[in-house]
Each structure stands twice: as C-alpha cells, then as structure tokens.
Amino acid sequence: MKPTDIGAPDYFHKVVDCQWACPAHTPVPEYIRLIAAGRYDDAYMVNWESNVFPGILGRTCDRPCEPACRRRRVEDAPAEQGKESAARAAREPVAICRLKRVAADNKDDIRARLPAVPKKKNGKRIACVGAGPASLTVARDLAPHGYHVVVYDGDAKAGGMIRSQIPRFRLPEEVIDEEVGYILGLGIEFRAGKRVDSMKALLAEGYDAIFVGSGAPRGRDLDIPGRKEGAKHIHIGIDWLSSVSFGHIDKIAKRVIVLGGGNTAMDCCRTSKRLGGEDVKVIVRSGFEEMKASPWEKEDATHEGIPILNYLVPKEFTHHKGKLTGVTFEKVAAKFDADGPGRRRLVPTGEPDQHFECDDVLVAVGQENAFPWIEKDCGIAFGQSGMPVVGKITLQTSLPRVFFGGDAAFGPKNIIWAVAHGHEAAVSIDKHCQGEDVSQRPPPMVHLMSQKMGIHEWSYNNAIALDRRYKVPWRDASQTLKNIKIEVEIGFDRVTAFKEAERCLNCDVQTVFSNTLCIECDACVDICPMDCITFTVNGEEANLRTRLSAPAKNLTQDLYVSGTLKTGRIMAKDEDVCLHCGLCAERCPTGAWDMQKFLLEMTPAGPGCRVRAPKKEPIPA
C-alpha cells in the first residue's frame, strides 16, 4: 500500500464518523467538548454555522450521525447479559442530537454574534420559493454577502414543514420563532401569505437567481374501495397535521387508525392521542424493523400506549349509510428471492382478512412533489418521475438561474438534508451571480493542530468514560397526553449533559504518525488497548488487513499506512476501532506519534468559494 496522504480533506474527515455521516458535516466532537466545558454559546454557534437550526434539530433531527458513532463499534455489551444476548446487545452511541439541544437551551443571547446586515447590497436579487429549511439556509448564507433575498411563502409565518408538520409536543413554537427569526433578521425580505402561482411570472420579475425549496407538499392517497364513500372521515396525514398546527383542527374521534410506517405516521398517532383519540392504532404493510420511521419515533409511540400492527395491507374502507365504520386488511408476509438478495416481496398468507373498526383514518403512506405552478414550457426539464432534473452537487436546473433543494429536488427526506442542500445551492447561486462555473468548487479547508501541552498532557480530556448512554427525561404522560403543546422531552440538565458529553471519544483528535521519528520500539503496540497498531511488511490492502494485530474487517474505514521504516517495515493502523485515547503518543519516546485536532471548514458561499486569480509576479525593472 502507498503511504496515507493525511493532507487529503476526506481522509481524517471519514475518521470522524459522525461528522462524515452528517449531511451538513457539523463538527460534532468540537461542539460536544464545548458543552462539556460549559461554553454553551460557543457550542451553539459551531452548530449554527453548519446546521443553521440547532434548537430545532436538537429536538427533531433524523440523527444520521448517531448510527455512525464510534461508540457503537467499540463499547462492550453489558456484562450482566448472557453471551448470546450480549452479542446482540445494542451498543449505544453518544446522544449527539440531544446534546445539540443542550447548547440551544443553555445559551445566552447570541444575536451579537450573528453576521452583520450589510449596509450596501451587491445589486443581485435572489428569490426563494417556500420558507422551509432549505430556502432559509440559502437566505442565511447569501444575505450577509450583500444579496437581496426575497422569500415567498403561502403561510403567515416562515418555517415551512418545520412549523406545519412537526407537532408542538415535539417542537415548541417559540423555538421555531427564535431560530427562524435569526435568519429573517439578516435583512431578508419575507413575503408572507404570498403563494407563487407561476414560474414564468417569477422569472419575468428579473431575479438574478431563483431557488425552489417548496418541499413535497402533497400526501399520497389510497385508491381502494370505500375511499370516496368514507371521504369525510379519511384524512391525508400531512394536511391533517398542518391543520392541527395552525389551529384549524382541535379534536378527533375516539377510534383512530393511522395507515403508514414513517415519521409522519408516528406524529399523526401521537397527535391523535392528544386530541381525543382513545383507541389509536398504527397499521403498517411492512414489518416493524422495516418501517421507515426512526427507531426512537416508534419507541415514543409505543411508550404512549399506541400499538403498531404489521404486515397488514389495506383492502377496503368499510362504511354504512355514508359513515366510515372501519378498514379491512389482507395479511401478508415478507418473501425474498431464493437465488440471492433480491427485492423483498409482500405476499398474501392466505389467512382470513382482518377488519378493524374505527371512526377516523389518517393516511400517512408517503409524500410526493407537486409543481402545478411551474409551466412545462418555461425551460426547466423534468424527468419521467415528475421531478426536476438537477445537478446532484450544484442543484442547478436546465435553466441556469433556477436551482432546487430539499424535498423539492430529490423527494422527501428530512431537515438536515434540506440544510445541506441549502448550503450547496447558496454556493452555486453565488458563483452563478459572479459569472463563475458553478461546478468548480474549491475543496474544504483542513486544519491540524497539535494538542500537546506537556510530555503526558493534552489540551483535551482523553480519558475514556465507561458510562452507558444517559436517557433524556420525559414529562409524565398524565400531563403530556392532555395538552398538545406540552413538550414531552425535558432535555438533559447541565450535570447529565456533562456526563453524556464525556462519552464522546474525540474522534476528531487524530493520531498523526511521523515515520522519520520512529525507532520501531513497539511501545505504542504494547500499550494500545484496541490492538489497532501493527508494524509489519507492506503488501496489498486485502492481504495486509489480515496480518494486523487485530484483523481489520470494516472496509468502510481506511488503514493508516506509514512510509517505509528503517527496517523495511511499515506502520499500519486500523482507523476503525482506534479510541483516540492518546496512549500511543504518551508512550512514544521520540514523539513519532502526536495527537492533532482535525477541523474541516466546508466551503461556504462568499469570497471563499470564488476562483482565486493567480498572483502576478512583478516585472523586473
């Protein structure tokens, strides 16, 4: 293998699993250390730079960072469990998402730290269609650079699906108002209650660029017998949640069936419980594990006494004299192709159909995009699926000054993906407006800084906490199920937040090796608690992985390979299970190992994303 190029931006970035998995690439260990130090304002601002909505996402994020957390790979299973159950035991990640909320809940007034509103605009006008997380991110990134950003939305308040589809018992309105307000306060023009009904008309207004962040506003329906007859009591889930959020609906019948297995279905069933539903069921066509809802969303629903029934496909809405009486289901089972890992099929079991009585049905079986306001001949190309054809990185359409992002670009995902799209779109819009190629994007900036403070001292806490993950406390259900506006989760207090923060392994503090200083004494090999360092002869990667002190089986993480040492051997370290504890650097007698903090700065909109003209050398006299 060739020596590892640690100067490549992606190398150490991939070692910081949580940051690599985050679509917005939030520097997670950095803000967790700040929380442990009680520096909540600083922790909040680190988040605000990357993910824009720390308080909102600290309650609602889909948490792609947590399944990637290194603790899940290196933490021992509970000792009190038997061998068989211990092998299956879930190793719990750091509560990254809820620590984000700690920063938001405990910060002081940070408005003085927000970007200043430019006194003079740069002459470029940008329109954002929809006031959801993608559009707001675009606006936040561009406004400080002098762009005049106009945000259109049909609702009276900005926030989009954050405000309309997430129940208040998960996300209080004051948190939305605060964080959306930070963005609108940057000199952005918000045209509330103004729906955009024609792309051609918007193009005619002369905007230098248009960003479409209108989301996936239409819920899928079920076209099965009885749908028309029972229509009065069959509701589309996302529309129903919006009506609840805006106060148009404040009650539901006692017997409720929710159809669907995603996060919207979980919000529908829990909201129903609070609006008068006594017998609320979620009925899903897939198995429990295959449901699209996040594991914690399913856990929250079952915690509130809501049963989830699986492998049932709706066949018919039953009714009597114009009144809905229930839903009939066909029992199915999952079958896989025998000749390989083919697509799973749901096949009827042959068991009798099952009928469940109900008074209301909420249909939450998915969302789809709707662009009736974009004329087919306006110059924007759409694919066969009805989605716009956009660049995966640039988010630019066939009409160069029009960009899409969030659910409007690629279909329903979540807030953090919308934020990531907003950042990328802002870079593209900035480069487009400055006459540059939007596909030419400077790489991220990488910083490595030694944490050495003495022979055996580091500027970070490198002790490995053995604590299990701390649970976020809940308010008593006797309170929360009576009032839809009472937030269920209380959040960590400062003491518990410190303990949970200490579980972080500081994966961004990297082990950096210098082969010119190494005397091959093997002291680092002896002290490494994970056996992840090996001195051996070089070879092809597949072979080398089998010859390490502990075989490196996770191919998604690289091997750190040094240049050739004096004996002709090389140092190979498995990045997969390294604890970043620093013992190798403490033990090394020559300083060949150093602990260096890695910081990745994503390329933002503004001067940093522009093509830099080469410096002209002075002409000799």
Side-chain angles (χ1 to χ4, degrees):
M1 292 186 67
K2 293 181 180 179
T4 299
D5 178 12
I6 64 172
D10 279 358
Y11 181 74
F12 280 141
H13 185 194
K14 193 160 69 170
V15 175
V16 192
D17 301 81
C18 50
Q19 185 176 13
W20 179 259
C22 174
H25 303 306
T26 305
V28 173
E30 176 74 4
Y31 80 73
I32 288 180
R33 276 192 301 274
L34 292 169
I35 289 170
R39 294 170 57 184
Y40 304 111
D41 289 12
D42 292 336
Y44 185 88
M45 293 309 299
V46 166
N47 271 283
W48 193 82
E49 289 293 334
S50 298
N51 59 52
V52 185
F53 306 102
I56 292 168
L57 285 166
R59 292 163 166 84
T60 64
C61 188
D62 212 40
R63 317 180 200 177
C65 53
E66 292 190 15
C69 178
R70 189 173 297 262
R71 293 279 316 206
R72 298 194 70 190
R73 301 198 297 274
V74 303
E75 191 170 87
D76 291 331
E80 66 272 10
Q81 298 189 23
K83 288 185 179 180
E84 185 176 341
S85 58
R88 298 195 305 266
R91 292 163 170 83
E92 293 286 355
V94 175
I96 298 169
C97 178
R98 293 323 189 236
L99 285 174
K100 194 189 317 289
R101 174 181 171 174
V102 170
D105 287 354
N106 289 279
K107 72 181 187 314
D108 293 319
D109 189 348
I110 51 85
R111 284 175 292 181
R113 300 180 63 167
L114 299 178
V117 179
K119 294 181 180 179
K120 186 177 180 181
K121 300 292 185 182
N122 66 9
K124 302 293 184 180
R125 297 171 63 246
I126 313 299
C128 291
V129 181
S135 290
L136 291 173
T137 300
V138 169
R140 192 211 69 167
D141 286 4
L142 292 177
H145 299 292
Y147 288 92
H148 179 191
V149 183
V150 181
V151 178
Y152 294 86
D153 199 277
D155 291 331
K157 287 187 173 184
M161 58 79 61
I162 292 175
R163 192 179 295 277
S164 65
Q165 294 174 32
I166 302 177
R168 297 291 81 86
F169 58 83
R170 289 180 57 207
L171 178 60
E173 189 156 20
E174 57 267 25
V175 177
I176 305 173
D177 290 342
E178 177 187 16
E179 296 195 329
V180 169
Y182 290 155
I183 297 171
L184 297 182
L186 298 177
I188 287 150
E189 182 182 345
F190 176 47
R191 298 189 182 178
K194 176 66 175 176
R195 294 182 62 87
V196 176
D197 297 318
S198 168
M199 175 60 82
K200 283 186 175 180
L202 192 63
L203 289 166
E205 292 193 31
Y207 286 105
D208 295 280
I210 294 171
F211 176 78
V212 179
S214 53
R218 186 168 63 193
R220 288 200 181 105
D221 206 344
L222 280 177
D223 185 16
I224 60 176
R227 175 64 178 92
K228 184 177 180 181
E229 292 82 353
K232 187 176 180 181
H233 295 281
I234 301 170
H235 318 279
I236 302 300
I238 62 168
D239 297 338
W240 184 81
L241 286 172
S242 295
S243 294
V244 172
S245 291
F246 294 121
H248 305 313
I249 290 176
D250 59 6
K251 61 183 178 180
I252 198 167
K254 292 183 179 180
R255 299 179 301 174
V256 182
I257 289 177
V258 178
L259 300 176
N263 288 340
T264 298
M266 300 302 102
D267 285 341
C268 283
C269 69
R270 296 180 68 196
T271 300
S272 297
K273 269 282 204 180
R274 289 159 170 78
L275 295 186
E278 296 177 1
D279 177 11
V280 180
K281 297 182 183 72
V282 176
I283 304 183
V284 193
R285 59 185 292 134
S286 70
F288 186 83
E289 296 301 325
E290 291 77 38
M291 289 170 59
K292 292 183 178 180
S294 304
W296 45 88
E297 300 285 1
K298 293 186 286 187
E299 180 184 336
D300 292 350
T302 53
H303 177 82
E304 293 183 350
I306 300 170
I308 298 176
L309 310 180
N310 299 92
Y311 291 123
L312 292 166
V313 176
K315 287 182 64 176
E316 179 184 10
F317 295 110
T318 60
H319 50 90
H320 180 66
K321 294 184 179 180
K323 183 178 180 182
L324 181 73
T325 58
V327 187
T328 300
F329 295 86
E330 181 180 41
K331 185 69 175 176
V332 296
K335 297 291 183 182
F336 295 86
D337 293 339
D339 57 350
R343 186 173 181 178
R344 187 197 64 167
R345 293 176 294 115
L346 295 175
V347 299
T349 64
E351 299 174 56
D353 290 344
Q354 297 184 30
H355 182 265
F356 295 92
E357 295 181 349
C358 67
D359 305 304
D360 276 308
V361 172
L362 300 177
V363 180
V365 294
Q367 293 169 231
E368 43 190 28
N369 293 76
F371 302 105
W373 56 279
I374 300 180
E375 296 86 353
K376 292 182 179 180
D377 60 347
C378 73
I380 299 173
F382 283 79
Q384 291 183 348
S385 62
M387 296 294 289
V389 179
V390 300
K392 288 188 177 180
I393 301 298
T394 66
L395 300 168
Q396 190 177 42
T397 69
S398 55
L399 196 60
R401 62 173 164 141
V402 178
F403 303 79
F404 278 66
D407 294 354
F410 302 111
K413 283 197 174 181
N414 47 57
I415 299 171
I416 192 62
W417 272 108
V419 169
H421 293 163
H423 287 314
E424 294 292 354
V427 171
S428 294
I429 291 170
D430 186 30
K431 292 179 73 67
H432 171 76
C433 289
Q434 301 304 321
E436 294 188 2
D437 184 349
V438 298
S439 65
Q440 299 299 311
R441 308 168 93 82
M445 294 289 290
V446 172
H447 306 274
L448 281 168
M449 182 181 296
S450 177
Q451 301 302 289
K452 191 180 289 291
M453 296 181 70
I455 297 176
H456 301 304
E457 245 186 314
W458 306 107
S459 63
Y460 74 105
N461 181 8
N462 65 336
I464 306 300
L466 300 179
D467 297 22
R468 297 287 163 195
R469 175 172 167 135
Y470 290 87
K471 291 188 177 295
V472 177
W474 280 28
R475 287 187 174 84
D476 191 270
S478 62
Q479 300 177 34
T480 59
L481 291 177
K482 290 180 179 178
N483 189 331
I484 199 168
K485 293 187 177 181
I486 294 180
E487 190 174 11
V488 174
E489 289 189 5
I490 299 173
F492 288 132
D493 58 31
R494 293 188 178 193
V495 173
T496 310
F498 172 79
K499 293 177 182 177
E500 183 62 32
E502 288 294 278
R503 296 183 67 241
C504 177
L505 296 173
N506 298 294
C507 296
D508 63 334
V509 181
Q510 307 290 349
T511 52
V512 176
F513 182 76
S514 172
N515 59 289
T516 59
L517 295 177
C518 179
I519 59 173
E520 301 181 65
C521 65
D522 284 2
C524 54
V525 176
D526 294 339
I527 201 169
C528 177
M530 302 301 289
D531 293 328
C532 63
I533 301 172
T534 305
F535 288 84
T536 185
V537 295
N538 207 339
E540 296 297 326
E541 181 176 355
N543 173 263
L544 187 58
R545 282 180 175 272
T546 67
R547 292 190 283 108
L548 304 184
S549 300
K553 297 180 180 179
N554 183 359
L555 302 182
T556 64
Q557 279 287 8
D558 296 330
L559 298 182
Y560 184 2
V561 177
S562 75
T564 305
L565 300 166
K566 293 175 182 177
T567 63
R569 301 186 300 172
I570 52 98
M571 183 285 304
K573 183 172 82 76
D574 181 8
E575 296 284 22
D576 184 45
V577 292
C578 174
L579 295 176
H580 298 247
C581 61
L583 291 177
C584 55
E586 288 184 10
R587 186 69 175 269
C588 181
T590 65
W593 286 104
D594 189 20
M595 303 304 294
Q596 297 186 14
K597 185 169 75 170
F598 164 84
L599 183 63
L600 185 82
E601 288 186 56
M602 301 304 295
T603 304
C609 77
R610 312 272 171 70
V611 174
R612 297 170 182 81
K615 291 183 179 180
K616 293 183 178 180
E617 297 294 332
I619 300 174

